[in-house]
Amino acid sequence: MTNAPLSAPKPGEGALLWAVKIFSGVLILLILILHFLVNHYWAPNGLLSHAEVVAYYQNYPIVPIMEGFFLIFVVAHSLLGVRSILLDLRPSPRVLRGVDGVLILIGVTASVYGIWLLIRVTGWGG
């Protein structure tokens, strides 16, 4: 039996990215539970139609804010997971910088689009 830690930064990952990955994973779990409670358990008829979701978001502004954070944490966590898998291939520092740039671009694009869509669905954007 080994005494190795359950989770530790990989070479090339750094403590900050590792901590963000672990922290975002915990937050995803908590927000996922909250998401199910708010959108499926506490909602008047359980599963909501699109029109009911829009009305629900407009009547309870904390819900779309929660969903926005959920989106950002899921995007960050998933892309850090992809990066972690790619680290197993032991890329050169130059390749890793390129991969980082692509993953950042994907993450920012997905997050901005998701937040924009959330704003449009709630009607906050006019």
Side-chain angles (χ1 to χ4, degrees), residues 16-17 22-23 26 28 31 36 38 44 48 55 57 61 68 70 74 81 88-89 99 104 111 113:
L16 179 63
L17 290 179
I22 299 301
F23 184 68
V26 171
I28 288 168
I31 295 175
F36 277 110
V38 168
L48 303 173
Y57 281 10
F70 188 47
V74 167
D88 289 339
L89 301 174
V99 166
I104 289 169
S111 297
Y113 174 71

Side-chain angles (χ1 to χ4, degrees), residues 32-55:
L32 181 64
I33 292 167
L34 189 59
H35 167 87
F36 277 110
L37 288 173
V38 168
N39 290 324
H40 303 291
Y41 182 71
W42 294 331
N45 297 321
L47 294 176
L48 303 173
S49 69
H50 176 61
E52 291 170 324
V53 168
V54 171

Side-chain angles (χ1 to χ4, degrees), residues 7 21 41 45 47 50 52 93 109-110 118-119 124:
S7 182
K21 186 172 52 173
Y41 182 71
N45 297 321
L47 294 176
H50 176 61
E52 291 170 324
T109 302
L118 194 57
I119 289 169
W124 292 347

